[in-house]
Amino acid sequence: MRKIIVLTGAFLFALTSVYAQSDSKAVQLGAKGGVNFSKLTGDDFEDVDARTSFNVGLIAELPLSERISFQPELFYSGQGFDIVQSEDRIFDTSEDVEYQLDYIQVPLLLKAYLIKGLSVEVGPQFGFKIHEEFDSEPNSDGGDVEIDEDDSYVKDFDTSLALGTSYKFDSGFFVSARYTMGLTSIFKDDTLFENVDGKNEVLQVGLGFMF
């Protein structure tokens, strides 16, 4: 919770400062939300399924020229993956399990308009882990297990590359689709998983509104 408060406060402060010093008619602020389809990539995770969750947060657009804008964002992102009954060397389980890895994501995107309303965007994304949990089948004996930070094998910080497209209507509403590809393994060094290569991969679709 402290991470959420600090990041949200810093993001809002930065946007307020930029908004105050810029042409208020040019800078736009907004909100967005959508669906996540997330998993891990890597040789050790070929058999895991995608976890379906959601994202919601804040967005800003700062024009740099007629067609180019800088677009910082701050949003909650439900990520992770689903483990089906498996006997592989990483996961040995007799039941289906959902591995929840939830982040506060901060993408810093360069946005280019191809035609009016239609744009593409690309840039780095920085993720701050805020929650980690195993959810077993509803009728199993395992139940839900929240993982304490001291027992976690997953890093608190993650870096990704975000690629996407969006279409903004004259009304201010927009629809978007985005793919984010992890650049580094999510697992900590000096743990049982230090030699396991697992990177976050997320497909997002959603909508939002620019004020």
Side-chain angles (χ1 to χ4, degrees):
M1 182 59 68
R2 182 179 300 176
K3 292 179 182 178
I4 298 175
I5 294 173
V6 171
L7 287 170
T8 303
F11 186 79
L12 291 176
F13 177 79
L15 290 185
T16 301
S17 299
V18 171
Y19 191 78
Q21 298 174 22
S22 303
D23 181 353
S24 60
K25 295 182 180 180
V27 177
Q28 290 186 296
L29 306 179
K32 65 172 222 172
V35 180
N36 282 0
F37 304 98
S38 65
K39 61 186 298 185
L40 290 189
T41 60
D43 293 339
D44 297 306
F45 299 95
E46 294 178 349
D47 297 328
V48 301
D49 292 340
R51 177 196 177 197
T52 302
S53 187
F54 70 96
N55 66 83
V56 62
L58 305 172
I59 182 173
E61 184 174 344
L62 291 73
L64 303 178
S65 68
E66 184 178 351
R67 290 183 176 268
I68 306 296
S69 296
F70 173 57
Q71 182 170 292
E73 302 177 9
L74 176 76
F75 62 89
Y76 163 85
S77 180
Q79 298 178 201
F81 53 95
D82 286 347
I83 309 166
V84 296
Q85 296 181 10
S86 172
E87 296 181 355
D88 63 27
R89 71 182 187 89
I90 299 297
F91 302 108
D92 183 1
T93 176
S94 60
E95 60 189 23
D96 295 346
V97 176
E98 182 181 68
Y99 195 145
Q100 298 182 2
L101 281 172
D102 301 331
Y103 292 85
I104 294 295
Q105 297 285 7
V106 183
L108 303 174
L109 306 176
L110 191 64
K111 184 172 186 176
Y113 283 91
L114 305 179
I115 58 174
K116 181 182 178 181
L118 179 63
S119 62
V120 293
E121 55 208 31
V122 61
Q125 177 172 286
F126 306 100
F128 301 84
K129 187 185 71 175
I130 58 172
H131 183 251
E132 185 177 357
E133 180 176 304
F134 279 106
D135 282 2
S136 301
E137 294 176 309
N139 298 324
S140 71
D141 296 329
D144 300 344
V145 179
E146 186 167 354
I147 301 174
D148 185 84
E149 182 58 37
D150 294 334
D151 299 323
S152 175
Y153 295 135
V154 178
K155 299 173 183 175
D156 292 335
F157 182 74
D158 184 51
T159 56
S160 302
L161 176 66
L163 305 165
T165 184
S166 65
Y167 187 87
K168 183 165 61 177
F169 299 92
D170 292 338
S171 62
F173 285 98
F174 65 88
V175 293
S176 65
R178 184 178 300 170
Y179 170 76
T180 58
M181 173 183 63
L183 299 178
T184 57
S185 176
I186 67 170
F187 296 110
K188 296 177 180 177
D189 296 330
D190 302 322
T191 69
L192 295 175
F193 279 53
E194 65 176 330
N195 295 318
V196 176
D197 182 28
K199 298 182 178 70
N200 280 314
E201 180 182 70
V202 186
L203 176 64
Q204 299 175 333
V205 291
L207 55 85
F209 182 78
M210 301 299 289
F211 300 97

